[in-house]
Amino acid sequence: MVADRSEAVGQEVVQLIEQEGGQAFFHTLDVRSDESCAALVAATLARYGQLDIAFNNAGVFAAPTLTEDQGLDLWQRMLDVNLTGVFNCMVHELRAMKERGGSIINTASVAGISGTYGAAAYTASKHGVIGLTRSAALEYGKYGVRINALCPGLIETPMTVGPDSGFNEKMINAGVRSSALRRQGRPEEMAEMVLWLASDNSSYATGGHFVVDGGLSA
Ligand SMILES: NC(=O)c1ccc[n+]([C@@H]2O[C@H](COP(=O)([O-])OP(=O)(O)OC[C@H]3O[C@@H](n4cnc5c(N)ncnc54)[C@H](O)[C@@H]3O)[C@@H](O)[C@H]2O)c1
């Protein structure tokens, strides 16, 4: 099940999966809404009968501003999508997984483990994702549900590159210079970690946050 606020983005992912010989279905989702998250999990259970893996990856970023200028609207937008969104999804995923066990992966960020100049609200939301992940992992380990967080560095996606990006060239160059590998990461390089956390190969990993950042935080 591929879910996103944007149908165009979701359908593109469905097509990519189908081109690789897989099967996928799109479901509209607004992670800010508890009802929307409930409907997604219900639709997944109706189609497949069970939920084994969930990847909570939706997120938003905003152009940098000093903390005093961020404003309550931006603060609320970052928290609503990046933190409450993960919470809303997890509530319904956990209920669906409690009987059989499963694996949940939440996207945090290197901004979940260190400060970010000009992005206090985003950074607070991502620190929150790690706290939420750790606490839920403690509660649901006994049900065989593993819950981990992914901490990407600077990755080439519409969030950092292109017209809707909150990043400018100066920020990208500074990030690249600070990375040990001296380049941005690719989405595929995040997917490798997510696949490992989703699979039984990571059977002893829970409550962790896994940094894949080309050495940015090193
Ligand atoms: N790109 C980076 O450098 C980077 C670094 C660290 C963490 N992250 C995190 O990775 C995740 C994926 O981001 P990305 O880089 O692919 O950015 P992106 O903007 O390409 O993707 C984010 C997706 O979230 C969706 N979304 C936004 N609000 C939503 C909502 N309310 N309900 C449902 N879907 C919603 C968007 O439609 C979009 O498809 C985010 O959580 C982001 O914070 C990204």
Side-chain angles (χ1 to χ4, degrees):
M1 295 295 273
V2 176
D4 199 284
R5 185 182 54 177
S6 156
E7 174 151 14
V9 165
Q11 293 292 5
E12 192 185 334
V13 176
V14 167
Q15 274 178 18
L16 288 169
I17 293 169
E18 287 175 349
Q19 277 165 22
E20 296 287 321
Q23 190 194 61
F25 298 95
F26 175 74
H27 198 279
T28 306
L29 173 70
D30 185 344
V31 295
R32 297 169 298 180
S33 151
D34 176 66
E35 293 80 39
S36 181
C37 296
L40 170 65
V41 172
T44 306
L45 293 177
R47 188 174 285 281
Y48 293 107
Q50 65 194 62
L51 179 68
D52 301 310
I53 296 157
F55 177 35
N56 301 319
N57 184 51
V60 287
F61 185 78
T65 38
L66 287 180
T67 302
E68 63 183 300
D69 300 324
Q70 296 234 316
L72 204 49
D73 282 355
L74 186 143
W75 170 263
Q76 203 56 54
R77 188 153 54 87
M78 293 295 126
L79 287 180
D80 282 350
V81 179
N82 296 351
L83 182 54
T84 308
V86 173
F87 172 76
N88 284 338
C89 292
M90 272 180 60
V91 164
H92 300 285
E93 292 158 2
L94 287 167
R95 286 180 187 149
M97 285 182 181
K98 221 171 143 186
E99 293 266 300
R100 303 169 36 92
S103 175
I104 296 176
I105 302 102
N106 298 323
T107 302
S109 169
V110 286
I113 54 168
S114 58
T116 322
Y117 192 98
Y122 180 83
T123 302
S125 73
K126 294 299 187 178
H127 274 67
V129 169
I130 292 181
L132 175 60
T133 300
R134 285 173 153 165
S135 302
L138 286 176
E139 293 170 4
Y140 288 86
K142 65 182 175 211
Y143 299 108
V145 182
R146 298 185 298 105
I147 309 164
N148 291 287
L150 171 74
C151 295
L154 194 59
I155 313 304
E156 273 177 50
T157 71
M159 186 174 278
T160 62
V161 182
D164 299 327
S165 159
F167 285 67
N168 57 42
E169 209 180 315
K170 205 170 142 198
M171 290 160 72
I172 299 288
N173 289 340
V176 167
R177 269 200 312 275
S178 307
S179 302
L181 297 181
R182 296 289 196 276
R183 64 171 175 85
Q184 279 195 266
R186 295 185 298 274
E188 293 84 347
E189 294 173 309
M190 302 303 103
E192 290 294 337
M193 177 57 84
V194 176
L195 279 173
W196 182 74
L197 289 169
S199 77
D200 291 339
N201 290 337
S202 61
S203 52
Y204 202 53
T206 195
H209 54 277
F210 292 80
V211 176
V212 189
D213 70 346
L216 181 62
S217 60

